[in-house]
Amino acid sequence: MKEKWWKRSTVYQIYPRSFCDSNGDGIGDINGIRSKLWYLERLGIDVIWLSPVYPSPNADNGYDISDYYGVAPESGTIEDMKALIKECENCGIKIMMDLVVSHTSDEHPWFVEAKSSPDNPYRDYYIWRKGKADQAPNDMESCFGGNAWEYSEETGEYYLHFYHKKQPDLNWENDAVRKEIWKMMNYWIDMGVKGFRMDVIDVIGKVPDQKIKENGPRLHEYLQEMNRETFGGRDMMTVGECWGADTEIGKLYSDPERRELDMIFQFEQMQADQVPGKNKWDLKPLDLVYLKQTFAKWQQELDGKGWNSLFWNSHDLPRIVSRWGNDRKYRVESAKMLATVLHGMKGTPYIYQGEEIGMTNYPFSGIEDFADVEAVNMYRERERAGYSRDEIMKSLCEKARDNARTSMQWDSGHEAGFTEGTPWYHVNPNYIEINAEMALEDKNSIFYYYQKLIRLRKEEAVLTYGTFKLLCPDDEHIFAYVREWDEKKWLVIGNFYEEPAEFSYPESGRVILSNYEQETEILPGQISLRPYETLICEMITISKSS
Ligand code: GLC
Ligand code: CA
């Protein structure tokens, strides 16, 4: 495998609205990010994935873009953006932009033109169909609930939207659309961004008449064209968000020989707590065996043939310490354990803002607490379908995207130090005990633990290139595996539960990292793991030649 900087890098995702507000309007902005670069530098991350800062009516918090070339007034100005790129460069951090090109906002000038008449030159930038006897063209569904076709009064036809009705899908079959997108990507490349995170990129090959959404027939052709026309041959980092990928598809995206993307951001392992065949709102307790085996499958299948993203969190997922850790008594221990088993694998790790201080889910009390269109629509749909209020609330509390969107907790002052005004959304009341300032003052904090993991990845090739072997695949309490590279053998173990657990390994080793006070060595045989205990050990193996 070729040496590439992004294989040793750690990415930090910023959701700008909720990160830091510089001017007291309650909305996080680019200058707020600039004021916190010292913090990211101290953490040691290499890349910022910047969720959208483009002008947007915010039907989906910026994932509905009305101008690909600009910066939203609430986020700042293009000058602020240039300054951010420059200042990041000075401290060795690269900016990866969110690229949302499967759809635009319905307020994008292309769509405003397109909907005005069937003959408009922009009509074919989107996907229009006639209805069938006063009904939508077919029964494809929107991810936010309801039919994916919206009737448009002006011309009496329907347009396709896989998300909000204010997010009409672009027609990628139209060459002119693709050319517009390449042009826009090159504009940001010229401005100095060093990567793109591609929003729901697996749906650009859609063929709605055949009800094909993900993995359409021309998807990979489009990505190869994109590579040629934009970032190909430049030293950048690209990652595709794909909800509907298996490992074979994962290789198509990320096999370097194919010249598409560098890595894939897929979600198969994140389904370990949902009822199979249902959706994320249909809850079941974590199936650790599924989780481990799914990770292991991706680790092995992509080895040498592609590249994985490693993540627990994003702006679309609930907080991991609340989800699969313990956000009360063992918050610190379990957050560190989860970080260890994730960052110990092969791939590029992603940290979502606040994860590094162990931020938790929000204590929602009713539907009025949710801001996200997905949550609000789900509530209405399930109510209509006869679910009880308690059932719906339970699903929402556990899985709503709003859990990730509360303000970053900087300190124990006014509104957690996020804003001097009134935040656009909730601040978790636990900011008094959980905040960045306190984490920085405590040498045993989750923050410094992440700092060590990030540093280890830079220093130790075994983490980047080592082979991966899952141990005790059927054990229901422990996640353990071995990484091996160039005479080095690392063992990573995590106890996923509060109950102590036993693990046995036939070799001795030196402890590299742990979330408990430890002996410096482990001996061959039984290892007793305390609640949520985790270890990385370098095993002392007898060299192969002797
Ligand atoms: C992606 C984004 C999500 C957004 C959706 C539509 O999944 O991560 O936040 O709602 O795409 O753009
Ligand atoms: Ca602001």
Side-chain angles (χ1 to χ4, degrees):
M1 282 245 108
K2 267 212 174 123
E3 185 74 50
K4 289 275 186 198
W5 57 265
W6 41 261
K7 293 187 179 171
R8 285 188 185 245
S9 296
T10 301
V11 179
Y12 187 91
Q13 184 192 351
I14 292 183
Y15 194 64
R17 293 179 80 72
S18 304
F19 189 66
C20 179
D21 172 25
S22 70
N23 61 353
D25 68 354
I27 304 173
D29 46 52
I30 294 173
N31 288 338
I33 300 172
R34 290 170 66 196
S35 75
K36 298 294 183 186
L37 286 183
W38 64 271
Y39 171 83
L40 301 178
E41 221 182 337
R42 186 162 321 165
L43 184 58
I45 56 102
D46 306 276
V47 179
I48 293 173
W49 154 15
L50 191 64
S51 277
V53 290
Y54 313 92
S56 164
N58 288 310
D60 187 19
N61 285 0
Y63 284 89
D64 47 321
I65 297 172
S66 54
D67 173 9
Y68 285 117
Y69 292 87
V71 167
E74 68 272 23
S75 297
T77 64
I78 201 83
E79 294 314 316
D80 299 338
M81 188 63 208
K82 287 181 183 163
L84 173 68
I85 294 172
K86 184 106 210 25
E87 286 161 14
C88 281
E89 230 169 75
N90 293 341
C91 50
I93 295 176
K94 299 181 166 73
I95 299 270
M96 176 163 79
M97 290 295 264
D98 217 311
L99 185 76
V100 188
V101 288
S102 176
H103 46 261
T104 66
S105 162
D106 66 338
E107 296 179 35
H108 192 290
W110 298 340
F111 190 77
V112 174
E113 290 282 332
K115 75 170 180 190
S116 67
S117 126
D119 311 319
N120 189 282
Y122 286 97
R123 183 72 169 181
D124 205 26
Y125 271 43
Y126 297 87
I127 298 169
W128 299 91
R129 296 289 182 272
K130 291 198 167 47
K132 286 192 182 136
D134 277 351
Q135 298 269 309
N138 64 32
D139 61 358
M140 289 193 92
E141 283 178 9
S142 150
C143 291
F144 294 156
N147 190 277
W149 297 97
E150 180 72 13
Y151 184 70
S152 177
E153 292 283 337
E154 285 89 341
T155 57
E157 289 187 350
Y158 291 78
Y159 64 87
L160 182 73
H161 63 93
F162 283 144
Y163 291 88
H164 197 285
K165 65 178 182 207
K166 286 183 68 63
Q167 291 168 299
D169 273 67
L170 281 166
N171 175 18
W172 274 67
E173 286 183 15
N174 182 346
D175 298 346
V177 166
R178 299 201 304 284
K179 285 214 181 82
E180 292 272 14
I181 292 168
W182 313 155
K183 187 173 114 200
M184 175 270 287
M185 289 173 72
N186 285 321
Y187 162 86
W188 289 104
I189 293 174
D190 292 343
M191 199 180 290
V193 311
K194 289 287 183 277
F196 293 107
R197 174 270 181 185
M198 302 180 187
D199 193 65
V200 291
I201 202 70
D202 54 345
V203 308
I204 60 173
K206 60 204 118 191
V207 187
D209 301 312
Q210 295 168 39
K211 298 206 226 172
I212 296 174
K213 185 177 175 197
E214 285 116 357
N215 305 311
R218 294 184 68 189
L219 167 63
H220 296 282
E221 173 200 325
Y222 296 153
L223 289 175
Q224 287 171 8
E225 182 179 318
M226 176 193 281
N227 182 309
R228 277 195 309 276
E229 299 293 328
T230 65
F231 51 79
R234 297 180 193 240
D235 192 20
M236 295 185 57
M237 163 175 170
T238 52
V239 50
E241 184 200 29
C242 306
W243 291 82
D246 59 21
T247 51
E248 285 311 309
I249 295 173
K251 287 182 233 174
L252 296 180
Y253 286 101
S254 63
D255 175 355
E257 309 257 294
R258 292 175 51 84
R259 295 176 191 276
E260 295 187 17
L261 307 181
D262 293 324
M263 68 188 90
I264 166 168
F265 201 92
Q266 61 76 29
F267 296 83
E268 197 179 345
Q269 64 282 344
M270 299 316 283
Q271 293 161 25
D273 58 1
Q274 78 186 42
V275 178
K278 296 278 187 82
N279 67 35
K280 70 175 185 183
W281 308 115
D282 298 295
L283 310 175
K284 71 166 202 198
L286 169 65
D287 180 344
L288 182 62
V289 171
Y290 168 95
L291 180 77
K292 297 191 293 189
Q293 294 186 355
T294 307
F295 265 125
K297 180 177 74 184
W298 281 90
Q299 290 283 299
Q300 262 132 22
E301 294 284 317
L302 262 54
D303 196 11
K305 302 185 196 100
W307 196 254
N308 281 298
S309 307
L310 305 170
F311 64 93
W312 290 129
N313 286 287
S314 76
H315 65 296
D316 293 331
L317 299 170
R319 295 282 179 182
I320 197 63
V321 70
S322 301
R323 187 176 186 182
W324 294 339
N326 176 318
D327 62 9
R328 292 165 308 274
K329 186 162 173 209
Y330 295 106
R331 188 181 64 88
V332 174
E333 289 81 357
S334 64
K336 291 177 181 174
M337 182 278 292
L338 288 159
T340 311
V341 292
L342 189 77
H343 288 233
M345 283 187 275
K346 186 169 186 154
T348 299
Y350 288 67
I351 300 170
Y352 178 69
Q353 66 188 40
E355 177 182 343
E356 76 284 6
I357 56 168
M359 277 177 60
T360 67
N361 280 352
Y362 183 80
F364 300 103
S365 49
I367 184 62
E368 58 292 341
D369 272 340
F370 296 92
D372 180 18
V373 44
E374 184 193 60
V376 174
N377 289 353
M378 174 285 208
Y379 190 92
R380 266 194 249 119
E381 276 198 0
R382 292 219 156 178
E383 212 174 29
R384 240 182 280 128
Y387 288 77
S388 75
R389 187 183 170 276
D390 286 355
E391 270 174 293
I392 304 175
M393 277 304 288
K394 187 166 188 323
S395 298
L396 284 173
C397 289
E398 286 197 23
K399 293 283 182 72
R401 308 195 296 182
D402 284 321
N403 280 303
R405 300 176 180 187
T406 59
S407 310
M408 175 69 189
Q409 293 162 209
W410 291 107
D411 58 42
S412 55
H414 175 78
E415 304 292 3
F418 163 72
T419 179
E420 283 170 9
T422 307
W424 71 275
Y425 192 50
H426 299 300
V427 176
N428 194 314
N430 66 17
Y431 72 92
I432 306 282
E433 300 98 51
I434 303 173
N435 62 62
E437 187 177 64
M438 283 168 73
L440 289 171
E441 280 161 12
D442 170 8
K443 68 179 192 342
N444 288 318
S445 68
I446 303 168
F447 179 93
Y448 289 118
Y449 195 90
Y450 269 91
Q451 186 188 58
K452 284 184 200 141
L453 284 170
I454 295 166
R455 196 181 302 143
L456 273 182
R457 175 159 295 267
K458 292 212 184 71
E459 292 166 354
E460 297 285 350
V462 62
L463 286 180
T464 312
Y465 299 106
T467 56
F468 174 96
K469 184 165 178 276
L470 185 66
L471 303 176
C472 53
D474 298 315
D475 186 294
E476 290 172 0
H477 299 270
I478 294 170
F479 194 161
Y481 55 86
V482 167
R483 305 286 314 274
E484 259 185 286
W485 181 252
D486 204 17
E487 306 278 298
K488 242 186 208 182
K489 180 170 179 182
W490 279 24
L491 171 68
V492 180
I493 322 171
N495 176 7
F496 259 70
Y497 295 96
E498 191 170 332
E499 295 74 41
E502 298 291 322
F503 176 78
S504 80
Y505 200 74
E507 291 164 12
S508 58
R510 184 170 65 86
V511 175
I512 303 275
L513 190 65
S514 171
N515 59 348
Y516 277 85
E517 292 275 330
Q518 279 312 331
E519 303 288 331
T520 51
E521 288 196 2
I522 59 161
L523 298 172
Q526 205 84 344
I527 306 171
S528 300
L529 298 168
R530 288 162 275 193
Y532 299 100
E533 185 164 350
T534 189
L535 290 162
I536 300 183
C537 299
E538 182 163 312
M539 306 320 285
I540 314 199
T541 41
I542 296 97
S543 101
K544 283 172 198 136
S545 52
S546 62

